[in-house]
Amino acid sequence: MNVLTSEAAQLKRAVSEAVDDLGPTLLDVSHRIHSTPETAFNEHQASSWLAEAAEAEGLQVQRPAFGMDTAFAADFGDPKLPRVAILSEYDALPDIGHGCGHNIIAAIGLGSALALARLGDRMPGAVRYVGTPAEERGCGKELLAHAGAWDGVDAAMMLHPANLDMKAVRTQYLADATVTFTGHTAHAALAAEAARSALDAVVLAYQALAQLRPHLKPTERISGVINEGGSTPNVTPETTVSSYFVRAATQSDLDVLKRRAEACFRGAAEATGCVLDVTWAGDDYRDMRINEPLADAYQANAESFGRVFTPYERFPIGGSDMSNVSHRVPVLHGIIASAPEDIQLHTRAFTAQGVSQMADRAVLDGAKALAMTAIDFLTDSQLRRRVRETFAAD
C-alpha cells in the first residue's frame, strides 16, 4: 500500500532540512577526504571519518565489514519493509588524488543516509549504508557482493560527480592486468650480451599493443602505464611492471581482447628472452544495467533544486564497479555536476574543483536528491513495481 503523496512530500522536506543541518559536517568530511587522498584498499582515514560521522548520529556501524578492512556498513529502519542501499565511495587516484571526485560521492552518501536516519520512526523502510572501497582498481563492490553486501537489498543508490547533470551513466566491461617481465641483469656496457632486458620486453609489449589498437572495434580500448622500468642506465633492468586496462562492450568481446593482449605480452617475452607473468584482477567490471524508473525519479528530485539535465547517451562510456551491483539489484547511478563543463574527470583540474563552491553545492544537492529518491522508492509501490519489472526485463 502506498504512503500518501502528501506524507512522502513531508518526508522529503524533512530529509532536505536534515541535510541543511548536517551541511557543515558533510562539507568538512568531503574536504578532509579530498586533502588526504588514499588509493584502493588503503582508505583507512576516509572510511574512519565516514564511520565516525555516522556513529556520532547514533548509527551502529560495522567496521570492517564484508571481509574488507576499509569497508563499513550500518543498517537501520524496519527490516520487514523494502530496503535501499546507500553507497559511499572514497578511494583516490594515484598521483592526482580525487580526480574522480570520490570525496564528493562519500559525503553525498553520508548525508543521504544520515538524513534518512533522522526520520526515526517515520522511516518508511530500511536502509543499508555501505562504505565501498576500491572502485578505481580492484572492483571493490564485486568483492562486497561475494560477502553478501547486497543480499536483502531491493535497490542500491549512489551519485557520481562529473561536469554535467545526468540521470544515469553507461559503462562497459573492463579487465585489469598487472604484467611483470623478469630477465637477467648485467653491466650495460661491459657485459650487455649476458643481459636479458626486462625494459626491452615491457617497451616491446607496449609497442605491440599500439600496433593492435588500429584493429580494435570502436567499443574496445586498451590503456596502460609502465609502473617500474629500471633505476639506472648502467644496469640492465631485471624486472619491469606495467598495468593495463582492457575494455569492451560485452563479456565475450572482453575475453577475446584479453587473449589478444596476452599474445602481445607473450611475444615480447619470447623476443627478449624474459619470463612473463600476467595477473588479471579477480573480477572484471561489468556493463551498467540502467534502471530508467529509478533514474527518472532521481532526475525529478534533482531538478527541484534547479539542476538542468543532459541526456546520458551524449556522455562517453566509462567504467564502474557499480555496474556489477546493477546485475544483482536495481541500481541508481546518477551523475551530478560538480565542475564546469570544460573540466574532465581524471585530471588535476577536476581534482582542484573537488572543494569548490560548485562541488560543495553538489554534496548538499546530491544528498538531498538521493535521500528523496530513496523515499520515492520506499513509499511508492508502483515505482517499486516498475523498477523490479525493468530489472527483470533487462
Side-chain angles (χ1 to χ4, degrees):
M1 181 177 180
N2 289 349
V3 175
L4 293 176
T5 302
S6 60
E7 184 175 347
Q10 291 173 10
L11 296 175
K12 288 185 178 185
R13 283 194 294 272
V15 295
S16 183
E17 291 169 359
V19 169
D20 286 334
D21 186 56
L22 291 161
T25 295
L26 303 180
L27 298 184
D28 177 63
V29 169
S30 174
H31 289 208
R32 278 192 283 164
I33 292 174
H34 183 274
S35 67
T36 313
E38 299 165 300
T39 54
F41 301 107
N42 299 304
E43 317 95 327
H44 298 283
Q45 190 65 77
S47 61
S48 292
W49 283 330
L50 291 162
E52 289 165 3
E55 289 167 344
E57 283 287 308
L59 296 187
Q60 299 297 311
V61 181
Q62 177 189 354
R63 52 171 171 153
F66 302 110
M68 297 182 70
D69 287 344
T70 54
F72 64 84
D75 283 281
F76 58 91
D78 188 340
K80 298 186 294 296
L81 296 176
R83 182 193 307 272
V84 297
I86 303 293
L87 280 56
S88 283
E89 294 175 6
Y90 34 84
D91 62 325
L93 293 159
D95 299 328
I96 67 170
H98 281 286
C100 210
H102 288 192
N103 62 299
I104 299 169
I105 300 174
I108 287 174
L110 176 67
S112 174
L114 296 187
L116 290 166
R118 283 195 176 187
L119 293 176
D121 293 340
R122 299 171 66 195
M123 254 291 294
V127 173
R128 176 171 297 162
Y129 176 44
V130 187
T132 64
E135 190 276 334
E136 295 293 352
R137 293 197 73 178
C139 206
K141 294 182 187 62
E142 181 71 11
L143 300 178
L144 292 171
H146 296 329
W150 319 123
D151 294 353
V153 169
D154 296 286
M157 304 180 181
M158 63 166 282
L159 299 181
H160 197 295
N163 55 0
L164 296 167
D165 282 288
M166 297 177 292
K167 68 178 184 179
V169 65
R170 299 173 298 162
T171 70
Q172 61 185 158
Y173 285 80
L174 182 152
D176 180 350
T178 299
V179 180
T180 303
F181 291 103
T182 304
H184 300 296
T185 191
H187 192 291
L190 302 181
E193 70 280 2
R196 298 293 182 267
S197 174
L199 180 59
D200 286 347
V202 74
V203 170
L204 185 57
Y206 191 91
Q207 292 174 332
L209 290 168
Q211 300 306 311
L212 175 60
R213 286 192 187 99
H215 307 289
L216 301 181
K217 297 178 181 179
T219 53
E220 296 176 339
R221 297 285 188 275
I222 300 177
S223 57
V225 295
I226 297 173
N227 307 102
E228 300 174 23
S231 56
T232 176
N234 208 30
V235 177
T236 302
E238 182 176 31
T239 302
T240 57
V241 179
S242 54
S243 301
Y244 289 91
F245 281 176
V246 178
R247 305 171 191 261
T250 68
Q251 185 68 61
S252 59
D253 283 351
L254 184 69
D255 292 340
V256 170
L257 191 54
K258 288 165 70 173
R259 291 194 293 270
R260 296 178 76 184
E262 285 193 9
C264 293
F265 303 144
R266 287 195 304 272
E270 292 174 6
T272 58
C274 292
V275 175
L276 168 69
D277 178 75
V278 180
T279 302
W280 294 97
D283 294 292
D284 293 338
Y285 291 67
R286 304 182 72 176
D287 63 330
M288 183 71 73
R289 296 176 63 185
I290 294 172
N291 195 288
E292 294 283 350
L294 270 182
D296 289 340
Y298 164 67
Q299 179 171 338
N301 286 312
E303 285 176 338
S304 70
F305 300 108
R307 292 191 169 267
V308 178
F309 277 68
T310 297
Y312 65 83
E313 295 86 353
R314 298 181 188 174
F315 199 72
I317 298 175
S320 170
D321 62 359
M322 190 64 165
S323 303
N324 293 55
V325 183
S326 77
H327 285 257
R328 289 180 165 83
V329 300
V331 153
L332 166 66
H333 190 277
I335 305 297
I336 190 163
S338 67
E341 193 169 342
D342 62 342
I343 295 181
Q344 299 293 331
L345 288 164
H346 286 214
T347 63
R348 293 188 186 280
F350 198 89
T351 302
Q353 284 289 321
V355 289
S356 65
Q357 288 185 350
M358 191 172 179
D360 289 350
R361 181 193 167 199
V363 168
L364 302 181
D365 286 356
K368 293 174 184 178
L370 194 62
M372 291 162 70
T373 306
I375 288 170
D376 285 333
F377 181 81
L378 294 172
T379 60
D380 187 341
S381 62
Q382 295 304 310
L383 174 60
R384 290 198 301 277
R385 178 185 59 78
R386 294 196 304 274
V387 167
R388 287 194 298 266
E389 289 175 351
T390 299
F391 179 75
D394 197 346

